[in-house]
PDB file of all heavy atoms in Angstrom:
ATOM      1  N   SER B 391       0.631 -11.075 -18.913  1.00 94.00           N
ATOM      2  CA  SER B 391       2.042 -11.383 -18.650  1.00 94.00           C
ATOM      3  C   SER B 391       2.460 -12.638 -19.393  1.00 94.00           C
ATOM      4  O   SER B 391       3.563 -12.710 -19.944  1.00 94.00           O
ATOM      5  CB  SER B 391       2.268 -11.579 -17.151  1.00 94.00           C
ATOM      6  OG  SER B 391       1.762 -10.498 -16.421  1.00 94.00           O
ATOM      7  N   SER B 392       1.577 -13.616 -19.407  1.00 92.00           N
ATOM      8  CA  SER B 392       1.850 -14.886 -20.066  1.00 92.00           C
ATOM      9  C   SER B 392       2.028 -14.696 -21.575  1.00 92.00           C
ATOM     10  O   SER B 392       2.911 -15.291 -22.190  1.00 92.00           O
ATOM     11  CB  SER B 392       0.714 -15.855 -19.783  1.00 92.00           C
ATOM     12  OG  SER B 392       0.913 -17.064 -20.443  1.00 92.00           O
ATOM     13  N   ALA B 393       1.192 -13.824 -22.163  1.00 92.00           N
ATOM     14  CA  ALA B 393       1.290 -13.572 -23.605  1.00 92.00           C
ATOM     15  C   ALA B 393       2.563 -12.795 -23.922  1.00 92.00           C
ATOM     16  O   ALA B 393       3.303 -13.147 -24.842  1.00 92.00           O
ATOM     17  CB  ALA B 393       0.064 -12.813 -24.092  1.00 92.00           C
ATOM     18  N   PHE B 394       2.844 -11.735 -23.155  1.00 93.00           N
ATOM     19  CA  PHE B 394       4.033 -10.922 -23.420  1.00 93.00           C
ATOM     20  C   PHE B 394       5.317 -11.738 -23.220  1.00 93.00           C
ATOM     21  O   PHE B 394       6.288 -11.569 -23.945  1.00 93.00           O
ATOM     22  CB  PHE B 394       4.041  -9.682 -22.515  1.00 93.00           C
ATOM     23  CG  PHE B 394       5.176  -8.760 -22.790  1.00 93.00           C
ATOM     24  CD1 PHE B 394       5.112  -7.877 -23.859  1.00 93.00           C
ATOM     25  CD2 PHE B 394       6.325  -8.784 -22.016  1.00 93.00           C
ATOM     26  CE1 PHE B 394       6.169  -7.031 -24.141  1.00 93.00           C
ATOM     27  CE2 PHE B 394       7.389  -7.935 -22.293  1.00 93.00           C
ATOM     28  CZ  PHE B 394       7.312  -7.059 -23.355  1.00 93.00           C
ATOM     29  N   GLY B 395       5.306 -12.605 -22.197  1.00 90.00           N
ATOM     30  CA  GLY B 395       6.481 -13.448 -21.935  1.00 90.00           C
ATOM     31  C   GLY B 395       6.493 -14.684 -22.822  1.00 90.00           C
ATOM     32  O   GLY B 395       7.354 -15.532 -22.668  1.00 90.00           O
ATOM     33  N   THR B 396       5.540 -14.802 -23.743  1.00 89.00           N
ATOM     34  CA  THR B 396       5.316 -15.986 -24.576  1.00 89.00           C
ATOM     35  C   THR B 396       5.432 -17.262 -23.747  1.00 89.00           C
ATOM     36  O   THR B 396       6.052 -18.233 -24.154  1.00 89.00           O
ATOM     37  CB  THR B 396       6.271 -16.062 -25.802  1.00 89.00           C
ATOM     38  OG1 THR B 396       7.598 -16.325 -25.358  1.00 89.00           O
ATOM     39  CG2 THR B 396       6.233 -14.798 -26.616  1.00 89.00           C
ATOM     40  N   THR B 397       4.838 -17.204 -22.542  1.00 89.00           N
ATOM     41  CA  THR B 397       4.886 -18.347 -21.638  1.00 89.00           C
ATOM     42  C   THR B 397       3.721 -19.295 -21.908  1.00 89.00           C
ATOM     43  O   THR B 397       3.901 -20.510 -21.990  1.00 89.00           O
ATOM     44  CB  THR B 397       4.829 -17.876 -20.171  1.00 89.00           C
ATOM     45  OG1 THR B 397       5.867 -16.929 -19.970  1.00 89.00           O
ATOM     46  CG2 THR B 397       5.011 -19.045 -19.229  1.00 89.00           C
ATOM     47  N   GLY B 398       2.526 -18.718 -22.014  1.00 86.00           N
ATOM     48  CA  GLY B 398       1.395 -19.535 -22.435  1.00 86.00           C
ATOM     49  C   GLY B 398       0.633 -20.224 -21.337  1.00 86.00           C
ATOM     50  O   GLY B 398      -0.302 -20.961 -21.619  1.00 86.00           O
ATOM     51  N   SER B 399       1.000 -20.013 -20.069  1.00 86.00           N
ATOM     52  CA  SER B 399       0.127 -20.591 -19.043  1.00 86.00           C
ATOM     53  C   SER B 399      -0.986 -19.594 -18.753  1.00 86.00           C
ATOM     54  O   SER B 399      -0.871 -18.406 -19.019  1.00 86.00           O
ATOM     55  CB  SER B 399       0.914 -20.975 -17.787  1.00 86.00           C
ATOM     56  OG  SER B 399       1.298 -19.855 -17.065  1.00 86.00           O
ATOM     57  N   SER B 400      -2.089 -20.087 -18.238  1.00 86.00           N
ATOM     58  CA  SER B 400      -3.302 -19.282 -18.120  1.00 86.00           C
ATOM     59  C   SER B 400      -4.102 -19.741 -16.913  1.00 86.00           C
ATOM     60  O   SER B 400      -3.974 -20.880 -16.471  1.00 86.00           O
ATOM     61  CB  SER B 400      -4.133 -19.443 -19.391  1.00 86.00           C
ATOM     62  OG  SER B 400      -5.418 -18.890 -19.216  1.00 86.00           O
ATOM     63  N   LEU B 401      -4.897 -18.829 -16.365  1.00 89.00           N
ATOM     64  CA  LEU B 401      -5.800 -19.231 -15.291  1.00 89.00           C
ATOM     65  C   LEU B 401      -7.137 -19.690 -15.871  1.00 89.00           C
ATOM     66  O   LEU B 401      -8.138 -19.738 -15.172  1.00 89.00           O
ATOM     67  CB  LEU B 401      -5.972 -18.090 -14.288  1.00 89.00           C
ATOM     68  CG  LEU B 401      -4.673 -17.666 -13.598  1.00 89.00           C
ATOM     69  CD1 LEU B 401      -4.914 -16.520 -12.624  1.00 89.00           C
ATOM     70  CD2 LEU B 401      -4.041 -18.845 -12.854  1.00 89.00           C
ATOM     71  N   GLY B 402      -7.136 -19.980 -17.177  1.00 85.00           N
ATOM     72  CA  GLY B 402      -8.312 -20.600 -17.780  1.00 85.00           C
ATOM     73  C   GLY B 402      -9.296 -19.644 -18.433  1.00 85.00           C
ATOM     74  O   GLY B 402     -10.414 -20.017 -18.737  1.00 85.00           O
ATOM     75  N   ILE B 403      -8.867 -18.401 -18.671  1.00 89.00           N
ATOM     76  CA  ILE B 403      -9.816 -17.436 -19.227  1.00 89.00           C
ATOM     77  C   ILE B 403      -9.738 -17.335 -20.743  1.00 89.00           C
ATOM     78  O   ILE B 403     -10.609 -16.734 -21.374  1.00 89.00           O
ATOM     79  CB  ILE B 403      -9.629 -16.024 -18.621  1.00 89.00           C
ATOM     80  CG1 ILE B 403      -8.243 -15.460 -18.965  1.00 89.00           C
ATOM     81  CG2 ILE B 403      -9.826 -16.050 -17.112  1.00 89.00           C
ATOM     82  CD1 ILE B 403      -8.095 -13.977 -18.651  1.00 89.00           C
ATOM     83  N   THR B 404      -8.669 -17.914 -21.366  1.00 87.00           N
ATOM     84  CA  THR B 404      -8.428 -17.681 -22.788  1.00 87.00           C
ATOM     85  C   THR B 404      -9.661 -17.964 -23.654  1.00 87.00           C
ATOM     86  O   THR B 404     -10.003 -17.181 -24.549  1.00 87.00           O
ATOM     87  CB  THR B 404      -7.258 -18.555 -23.293  1.00 87.00           C
ATOM     88  OG1 THR B 404      -6.245 -18.586 -22.277  1.00 87.00           O
ATOM     89  CG2 THR B 404      -6.666 -18.004 -24.561  1.00 87.00           C
ATOM     90  N   SER B 405     -10.344 -19.086 -23.379  1.00 85.00           N
ATOM     91  CA  SER B 405     -11.478 -19.466 -24.232  1.00 85.00           C
ATOM     92  C   SER B 405     -12.695 -18.566 -23.985  1.00 85.00           C
ATOM     93  O   SER B 405     -13.611 -18.546 -24.795  1.00 85.00           O
ATOM     94  CB  SER B 405     -11.839 -20.927 -23.988  1.00 85.00           C
ATOM     95  OG  SER B 405     -12.149 -21.125 -22.622  1.00 85.00           O
ATOM     96  N   HIS B 406     -12.710 -17.841 -22.859  1.00 87.00           N
ATOM     97  CA  HIS B 406     -13.866 -16.992 -22.552  1.00 87.00           C
ATOM     98  C   HIS B 406     -13.745 -15.586 -23.143  1.00 87.00           C
ATOM     99  O   HIS B 406     -14.677 -14.788 -23.034  1.00 87.00           O
ATOM    100  CB  HIS B 406     -14.049 -16.887 -21.040  1.00 87.00           C
ATOM    101  CG  HIS B 406     -14.242 -18.217 -20.373  1.00 87.00           C
ATOM    102  ND1 HIS B 406     -15.371 -18.974 -20.552  1.00 87.00           N
ATOM    103  CD2 HIS B 406     -13.426 -18.947 -19.566  1.00 87.00           C
ATOM    104  CE1 HIS B 406     -15.265 -20.105 -19.860  1.00 87.00           C
ATOM    105  NE2 HIS B 406     -14.085 -20.112 -19.262  1.00 87.00           N
ATOM    106  N   LEU B 407     -12.597 -15.281 -23.725  1.00 89.00           N
ATOM    107  CA  LEU B 407     -12.368 -13.914 -24.203  1.00 89.00           C
ATOM    108  C   LEU B 407     -13.097 -13.643 -25.513  1.00 89.00           C
ATOM    109  O   LEU B 407     -13.238 -14.528 -26.356  1.00 89.00           O
ATOM    110  CB  LEU B 407     -10.865 -13.667 -24.404  1.00 89.00           C
ATOM    111  CG  LEU B 407      -9.980 -13.825 -23.163  1.00 89.00           C
ATOM    112  CD1 LEU B 407      -8.514 -13.687 -23.538  1.00 89.00           C
ATOM    113  CD2 LEU B 407     -10.348 -12.807 -22.096  1.00 89.00           C
ATOM    114  N   ASP B 408     -13.534 -12.391 -25.677  1.00 89.00           N
ATOM    115  CA  ASP B 408     -14.104 -11.975 -26.955  1.00 89.00           C
ATOM    116  C   ASP B 408     -12.978 -11.632 -27.929  1.00 89.00           C
ATOM    117  O   ASP B 408     -11.823 -11.493 -27.531  1.00 89.00           O
ATOM    118  CB  ASP B 408     -15.010 -10.758 -26.756  1.00 89.00           C
ATOM    119  CG  ASP B 408     -16.351 -11.169 -26.166  1.00 89.00           C
ATOM    120  OD1 ASP B 408     -16.757 -12.325 -26.383  1.00 89.00           O
ATOM    121  OD2 ASP B 408     -16.973 -10.337 -25.481  1.00 89.00           O
ATOM    122  N   THR B 409     -13.354 -11.470 -29.204  1.00 89.00           N
ATOM    123  CA  THR B 409     -12.352 -11.245 -30.246  1.00 89.00           C
ATOM    124  C   THR B 409     -11.422 -10.052 -29.968  1.00 89.00           C
ATOM    125  O   THR B 409     -10.207 -10.186 -30.134  1.00 89.00           O
ATOM    126  CB  THR B 409     -13.039 -11.098 -31.614  1.00 89.00           C
ATOM    127  OG1 THR B 409     -13.792 -12.293 -31.853  1.00 89.00           O
ATOM    128  CG2 THR B 409     -12.024 -10.918 -32.726  1.00 89.00           C
ATOM    129  N   PRO B 410     -11.924  -8.870 -29.526  1.00 92.00           N
ATOM    130  CA  PRO B 410     -10.985  -7.761 -29.304  1.00 92.00           C
ATOM    131  C   PRO B 410      -9.902  -8.101 -28.283  1.00 92.00           C
ATOM    132  O   PRO B 410      -8.723  -7.772 -28.485  1.00 92.00           O
ATOM    133  CB  PRO B 410     -11.889  -6.632 -28.771  1.00 92.00           C
ATOM    134  CG  PRO B 410     -13.254  -6.965 -29.245  1.00 92.00           C
ATOM    135  CD  PRO B 410     -13.321  -8.459 -29.299  1.00 92.00           C
ATOM    136  N   ALA B 411     -10.282  -8.783 -27.198  1.00 92.00           N
ATOM    137  CA  ALA B 411      -9.294  -9.161 -26.185  1.00 92.00           C
ATOM    138  C   ALA B 411      -8.310 -10.172 -26.764  1.00 92.00           C
ATOM    139  O   ALA B 411      -7.107 -10.131 -26.469  1.00 92.00           O
ATOM    140  CB  ALA B 411      -9.985  -9.741 -24.958  1.00 92.00           C
TER     141      ALA B 411
END
Side-chain angles (χ1 to χ4, degrees):
Chain B
S391 308
S392 178
F394 184 80
T396 70
T397 306
S399 73
S400 169
L401 299 179
I403 63 168
T404 321
S405 58
H406 302 291
L407 300 174
D408 283 333
T409 302

